[in-house]
Amino acid sequence: MDEIWDRVGATSPPLPPLWLGVTAVLALVLVVQRDLWRVTRNAVTIAHEGAHGVAALVTGRRLAGIRLHSDTSGVTVSRGRPTGPGMVLTAAAGYVGPGLLGLGAAALLAAGHAIGMLWAVLALLALLLLQIRNFYGLWSVLVTGALVFAATWWLPAQWQAGFAHVVVWFLLLAAPRTVWELQAARRRHGSPDSDADQLARLTGVPGLVWVGLFLLVDVGALVLAVRWLLP
């Protein structure tokens, strides 16, 4: 335990500008390259559904379980009033969750706690694992957790910091892309069960406005994180 706490509390020096650029480019490739995105989008789905779950618990709803699917979709089931502020916040949390998680992680990186940030991600994945209700979701979370754990346990400190930056850049860049994909799906064939359309029915505010709000939050998180991370 002492060794683990020493690892968690260790601070890392700021990455050199070249390393910062390389980590950002690597994350961008993971987001924009089509074949890679089919795989890496699973990580965004984990953050998306986890955000739904956290919002449900914070607003007093009872979390009944989370399912992650091989097509990178997911569903979070919670019990409580079908309308009202709690349901609205729960539905709205998904598409802004990855961006806000990336922003919080960027704050830890800016403070020199890259390794602590990775262990925080591990802790969140462990909590999420308790709510997974299907085999693919279990496998997806376990593989993601194993990758993060391997980085925290076996990589040298400088490489751990580099890996942490890739994770953060990936979340920040992937969040706006998922919103773009949401609107593209709504425009092509409609998505009556999408978060934006559910929110439209709950609030009377058009779905397109909710899509714009998701995008505004995610792009704002990216811009703010860039200010924190770049020298």
Side-chain angles (χ1 to χ4, degrees), residues 52-73:
H52 280 312
V54 170
L57 293 174
V58 168
T59 57
R61 300 178 62 81
R62 185 168 66 86
L63 188 58
I66 295 173
R67 292 177 176 269
L68 307 173
H69 303 135
S70 58
D71 62 355
T72 72
S73 66

Side-chain angles (χ1 to χ4, degrees), residues 35-218:
D35 294 330
L36 290 174
W37 179 242
R38 291 194 185 102
V39 177
T40 59
R41 199 183 191 283
N42 287 282
V44 188
T45 303
I46 291 173
H48 178 111
E49 299 303 331
H52 280 312
V54 170
L57 293 174
V58 168
T59 57
R61 300 178 62 81
R62 185 168 66 86
L63 188 58
I66 295 173
R67 292 177 176 269
L68 307 173
H69 303 135
S70 58
D71 62 355
T72 72
S73 66
V75 60
T76 299
V77 179
S78 62
R79 309 294 186 192
R81 289 183 57 193
T83 59
M87 188 62 202
V88 171
L89 288 174
T90 299
Y95 279 99
V96 300
L100 294 179
L101 178 61
L103 182 63
L108 289 175
L109 291 187
H113 297 294
I115 299 171
M117 185 276 286
L118 292 176
W119 280 93
V121 170
L122 273 179
L124 292 173
L125 288 172
L127 293 174
L128 180 65
L129 197 61
L130 300 176
Q131 296 295 331
I132 296 296
R133 296 294 184 267
N134 67 323
F135 179 77
Y136 184 84
L138 181 69
W139 176 85
S140 184
V141 174
L142 284 175
V143 168
T144 304
L147 181 62
V148 177
F149 177 79
T152 60
W153 200 257
W154 286 296
L155 288 181
Q158 186 80 348
W159 284 91
Q160 288 184 44
F163 179 81
H165 279 76
V166 172
V167 171
V168 171
W169 288 126
F170 172 77
L171 288 171
L172 292 166
L173 292 168
R177 172 163 185 175
T178 61
V179 179
W180 183 268
E181 290 177 342
L182 165 66
Q183 182 55 27
R186 294 179 74 247
R187 186 174 59 249
R188 282 197 305 269
H189 46 70
S191 299
D193 294 326
S194 73
D195 292 354
D197 291 283
Q198 291 183 50
L199 285 163
R201 292 192 293 271
L202 286 167
T203 64
V205 177
L208 184 60
V209 175
W210 284 105
V211 172
L213 180 61
F214 297 157
L215 190 61
L216 180 64
V217 172
D218 287 337

